[in-house]
Every structure is written in C-alpha cells, then in structure tokens.
Amino acid sequence: MGNASDVQYLFVSKISKESDYILASIYSLFGVMSLMGNSILLFVAYRKKSTLKPAEFFVISLSISDLGMTCSLFPFAIPSALYHRWLFTEPMCMVYAFCGVFFGLCSLTNLTVLSSVCWLKICCPNYGSKFMPRHASLLVLGSWCYALIFAVGPTSGWGEYGPEPYGTACCINWHLPHTNRTAMSYIICLFLFCYIVPCSVIFLSYLFILLTVRGARHAVQQHVSPQNKITNAQTLIVKLSVAVCIGFLMAWSPYALVSMWAAFRSTTDIPPIAFAVAAIFAKSSTLYNPMVYLIFKPNFRRLLCRDATLCCHVLCHCLGPPAVTPKESCELSRRPWIREDGNSTRLSNGLPETHVACRHCPEGTLGQCPEGTLGQCLDVTPLRTARILTSSINREMAVSQLSNDHSDFL
C-alpha cells in the first residue's frame, strides 16, 4: 500500500465529522434491526424445522449471510465512523473487506438460486415437483462456494483489498486496476459474474414467472382444468421473492455503479461522500429479508405470534399465578363447559364431545381444557374443525392446523 505515511493517510476519514456521526448513527440503527430481524427469522425457522420446504432453505441461508455481515462489519464500522478514522490494524482491514465481499456475494447468489427455483416450480411444475431438500442443500452449499472463490481472490494476488475512498472502512482496492492488469481482470470478472449475470437471471426468472401467472389466470377464466391454476400461495411467494430481490438489488446497485466508475475511470472524479452513501445502501441489504418474511409471510408471522404468546404465558406463571377473585371462581365453577351451536356432538357411547380450545393455553399441553381445570385458562373459544378427504380416508383436523399445513407454497 506504500509507506507508513501513505497508509496512515488512507485510513483517515475524507468526509466531515458531522457526516461520520450521521453514518455511525445509521449503522447503529441498521445493526440493531438486522441483528433482531435475522435472529428472529432463524428462530422461527428452527421452530418449524420439521415442516421446512426445500425453497425455504435459501431464506435461511440468506438470513445466515445477512447475520454474518452484520456481526463482522457493523462493530468495526460504527466506532471508526465515530472517531473519524479506521481504528483497527491493517490486517483487520483485510478481514473486514473479506467478510463484506464474502457475505455480500453469498446473499446475492442465494437470491439468484431462489429466483431460479421459483421459476422451476411455477413455470416447469413437472420438474419443480421433483425438487427435494437434498437438491436445495446442494445448491445452498454451491452458492457459498461460489462466493468464496471471489472473496478469496484478492487474498491470493488476484486483485487486492484496501481502504475505502472515504477512509473509515475497507473493501476492494478500486485504485489498483489503473496500474495492474491482474486487478483489472478481477474487477471485470467480479462485475460480470457477481452482478450482471445474477441480476439477469433474477430479472428473467421473475419475468417468466409473472407471464406464467398471467397466462394461468387467463386460462382459469376460460374454465381450463384446475391443475393449471396458480394458487394464491404461489402468487404470494412470488411477490415475497420479488420484494426481497428488488430490495437487495436496490441496495447494492449504487455501490456497484460507483465502484465500477472508480475502477474504469478515475477515483478523483467521485467525491468520497458518494462512496459513503453507497456503502449505507449496501449495508441496508441485511434488513430486507427479515422485514419482508416476518411482516408479510403468514406462516412465519403466525408462528412468531404463537411463540411470543407462549413466552408471555410462561413468564406470567413464573412471576406468579394470576389472582382470581371469589366471584370469578364461582362463575367459572358454574359453567364447566362453554357450548355453542354446532360445536358439540355425541360419541358412540353417548357422551358429549365438545370442541373447545383455550386461547391462552400453550399448544399441546393445555390446548384442550379438561373438565375441572378450566379455571386455569383465561379465555375459551370454539375450535373450528374441517374434514379432509385423502384418497379414501376421511379425517378431521383443526382449521388452524389446516392453514399451517396447506397454505404455504414453499
């Protein structure tokens, strides 16, 4: 990188202190939101691990890469911005840059494969139905290996890591391609295979998906066979995937454009604040995946609400049992069962069967309130059931279970 004075100058901030303070504040907000969002998303995925669909593996992999970027970049970027210079050593700068490139490319590669899988399932259902969990696992592993190849390149002499033009962070050395052909070849390959090709695949995949959905809706209106219909769940996952991909590309496109301008033209033509703003957009990419899936995906949101209710219930019991007044106790004892029309049937032995469920009891333990213990429940609501015809077997299941098992396309 040159002599000691040059290195010292490269690690000093090139933007104003006020801008650095704003940068640190935004990074702090992004870091907290990303850490909480991705951790919650991984927790929900762990809770439903037995029912995970193959395409959801990419959502988990995306959360892991986003969480890795959050934990490896924000703890270094925030104090450096506050102190108006890079606070750590030069080797730590290389590690910082490696993590940023590696986890960023992992996220982009996972989104690319996810878009291809969505295209396969919707546009080619005969092949998409054969997509198994082992296929998803292999593709996830391949995505991480693909990103690792380009992240290791600068550490082996193919390109170089160095300080950002604004001085308080590190990434690829965008000055070197002007004097080094090997570095220029790395930048060209990086821009082609890690931005142009993935963006093209994502765009074409969702273009074909939207055309297929549009054609299927038109066919349904013409009373074509129900097998050709695209369900609402499929449409939902397409919208979710498109939202995540658009958010990710909007986050990384400013940084890619600014970097390519610096690599192929001159860094002196670009103000350092442009790199700083582009870096803010790039780091915001860690927020979009958990925000979209936790807010707009019904089964993730439903499981999260159920676990939060269960935790609150357990916490309340740990702090102490709820106080029940004598009047409330008498009222509960007078009505051991709450009935509604259509919610009570007779068994073969003549005993009544009442489909009631406790709204605040944990699922699997107090979900069905037995007689004599209804006082432990805070609320009682009817449990709606539905009959499912599978082949020649007619079985009954709760409507809540029906929505969990059958409404998710992934």
Side-chain angles (χ1 to χ4, degrees):
M1 284 189 186
N3 56 38
S5 60
D6 292 338
V7 172
Q8 187 68 21
Y9 171 75
L10 291 175
F11 286 113
V12 176
S13 178
K14 311 302 186 303
I15 60 179
S16 63
K17 288 187 178 181
E18 292 76 12
S19 300
D20 269 331
Y21 294 151
I22 295 175
L23 206 66
S25 301
I26 295 176
Y27 282 167
S28 301
L29 178 63
F30 285 177
V32 173
M33 292 177 62
S34 175
L35 186 63
M36 293 179 58
N38 286 290
S39 298
I40 292 174
L41 184 58
L42 290 176
F43 172 74
V44 173
Y46 173 77
R47 291 282 292 168
K48 67 187 294 287
K49 60 181 181 296
S50 59
T51 59
L52 284 176
K53 307 304 184 295
E56 287 180 331
F57 290 9
F58 302 104
V59 178
I60 298 173
S61 178
L62 187 59
S63 288
I64 294 174
S65 63
D66 289 342
L67 199 59
M69 179 180 288
T70 301
C71 296
S72 60
L73 300 189
F74 288 97
F76 300 96
I78 294 172
S80 296
L82 289 174
Y83 280 89
H84 203 55
R85 62 180 299 273
W86 176 256
L87 290 178
F88 307 94
T89 62
E90 188 175 344
M92 284 304 302
C93 175
M94 303 300 106
V95 174
Y96 179 98
F98 172 83
C99 292
V101 173
F102 176 59
F103 289 118
L105 293 181
C106 280
S107 299
L108 180 59
T109 309
N110 276 288
L111 286 175
T112 305
V113 179
L114 176 60
S115 66
S116 302
V117 171
C118 289
W119 168 81
L120 183 68
K121 281 184 167 293
I122 293 180
C123 299
C124 306
N126 292 333
Y127 297 100
S129 60
K130 301 176 182 179
F131 189 77
M132 305 299 292
R134 64 176 181 273
H135 302 145
S137 301
L138 291 175
L139 288 176
V140 167
L141 181 61
S143 300
W144 285 76
C145 293
Y146 185 86
L148 185 63
I149 293 173
F150 287 93
V152 170
T155 64
S156 59
W158 189 32
E160 185 180 85
Y161 289 131
E164 290 272 26
Y166 58 92
T168 57
C170 300
C171 194
I172 297 170
N173 188 344
W174 304 111
H175 303 271
L176 192 61
H178 297 284
T179 58
N180 190 307
R181 290 187 177 180
T182 303
M184 178 60 75
S185 68
Y186 173 76
I187 296 299
I188 293 175
C189 291
L190 184 70
F191 185 66
L192 180 62
F193 295 106
C194 297
Y195 186 74
I196 297 297
V197 171
C199 291
S200 301
V201 172
I202 291 173
F203 175 78
L204 292 176
S205 296
Y206 288 117
L207 177 62
F208 289 136
I209 287 172
L210 294 177
L211 292 176
T212 301
V213 171
R214 182 179 178 182
R217 286 176 177 172
H218 180 72
V220 170
Q221 293 176 357
Q222 300 297 325
H223 306 287
V224 176
S225 176
Q227 284 83 1
N228 295 327
K229 291 196 300 180
I230 301 296
T231 64
N232 292 332
Q234 289 175 321
T235 305
L236 173 63
I237 195 57
V238 170
K239 293 179 180 179
L240 292 174
S241 302
V242 169
V244 172
C245 291
I246 290 178
F248 186 89
L249 296 179
M250 288 180 62
W252 280 99
S253 292
Y255 191 85
L257 295 176
V258 171
S259 301
M260 291 305 103
W261 181 272
F264 292 103
R265 296 297 295 271
S266 175
T267 55
T268 58
D269 297 337
I270 304 174
I273 190 65
F275 274 95
V277 173
I280 291 177
F281 276 95
K283 290 180 174 62
S284 69
S285 64
T286 60
L287 306 177
Y288 300 131
N289 182 45
M291 285 178 61
V292 170
Y293 276 88
L294 290 177
I295 294 176
F296 298 107
K297 201 164 192 297
N299 66 330
F300 276 82
R301 187 173 63 252
R302 184 167 52 248
L303 287 172
L304 179 60
C305 294
R306 187 189 67 182
D307 291 337
T309 303
L310 180 59
C311 291
C312 292
H313 181 76
V314 173
L315 181 61
C316 291
H317 275 276
C318 292
L319 295 177
V324 181
T325 61
K327 181 178 179 181
E328 293 173 347
S329 178
C330 293
E331 290 179 356
L332 288 173
S333 62
R334 291 173 185 170
R335 47 172 188 170
W337 296 104
I338 297 179
R339 298 174 182 272
E340 289 190 11
D341 293 339
N343 291 320
S344 179
T345 58
R346 290 280 175 178
L347 300 178
S348 59
N349 57 4
L351 296 178
E353 177 193 10
T354 305
H355 301 284
V356 295
C358 176
R359 183 179 302 172
H360 299 287
C361 296
E363 184 177 352
T365 56
L366 295 177
Q368 299 292 331
C369 299
E371 185 173 1
T373 61
L374 188 61
Q376 301 176 6
C377 301
L378 302 179
D379 192 12
V380 177
T381 56
L383 178 64
R384 297 184 301 166
T385 59
R387 290 197 173 272
I388 307 297
L389 180 62
T390 305
S391 299
S392 60
I393 301 176
N394 192 10
R395 61 190 180 95
E396 183 174 326
M397 65 186 301
V399 172
S400 60
Q401 296 176 355
L402 177 66
S403 60
N404 287 341
D405 294 341
H406 299 277
S407 67
D408 186 15
F409 161 64
L410 287 181

